[in-house]
Amino acid sequence: MAFDVTNNVNSAIISGTLGLNRAQQGITEASVSIAQRNNQQQTPQDVLTNAATQQLGQVRQLLPQGGDSLTDNLLSLQINSRNALASGKVLDIANDTVGRIIDELA
C-alpha cells in the first residue's frame, strides 16, 4: 500500500523553515532592543533609582500586570529561542522522513 506523503512533508519543511525565520527575527529584534537599552548612559544614581523602583513594584505585585520593555525583550528572547528549537525539530523529523522514504524506494 503506497502513501502519498508529499504534501505533508512539504508542509512540515515549510512550517519548520518559517518558524526558524520568525524565531530568528524575534531574537534579533529583542537583542537589539536590549543592546540599545544597555547602551544608554546612566549615572549610578539613575541605576539605584531604577533598581529601587523595580523592587518596590515587585513587592506590590506578585504578578506584574505590565512588564517593562527589558522584561518583554527577555521573554521574547526565551519564547523565540524555544520556537527556533521546535521548528528545528520539525525540520529534523521531516528530513528523517524523506530519508526513510528514499531508502525504502531505492
Side-chain angles (χ1 to χ4, degrees), residues 44-100:
Q45 184 178 3
D46 291 337
V47 172
L48 291 174
T49 302
N50 289 339
T53 302
Q54 287 178 358
Q55 295 229 347
L56 287 173
Q58 291 174 357
V59 169
R60 285 187 207 124
Q61 299 175 346
L62 292 175
L63 296 173
Q65 295 177 359
D68 63 358
S69 61
L70 178 61
T71 303
D72 292 341
N73 289 326
L74 290 172
L75 286 173
S76 178
L77 282 174
Q78 183 66 25
I79 290 167
N80 284 301
S81 174
R82 288 179 187 238
N83 287 343
L85 290 172
S87 295
K89 185 71 174 174
V90 168
L91 288 174
D92 284 342
I93 291 171
N95 185 36
D96 291 345
T97 302
V98 170
R100 248 185 251 133

Side-chain angles (χ1 to χ4, degrees), residues 17-29 76-77 79-85 87:
T17 302
L18 288 174
L20 281 175
N21 289 339
R22 285 187 195 126
Q24 179 184 10
Q25 182 180 8
I27 289 170
T28 301
E29 289 173 4
S76 178
L77 282 174
I79 290 167
N80 284 301
S81 174
R82 288 179 187 238
N83 287 343
L85 290 172
S87 295

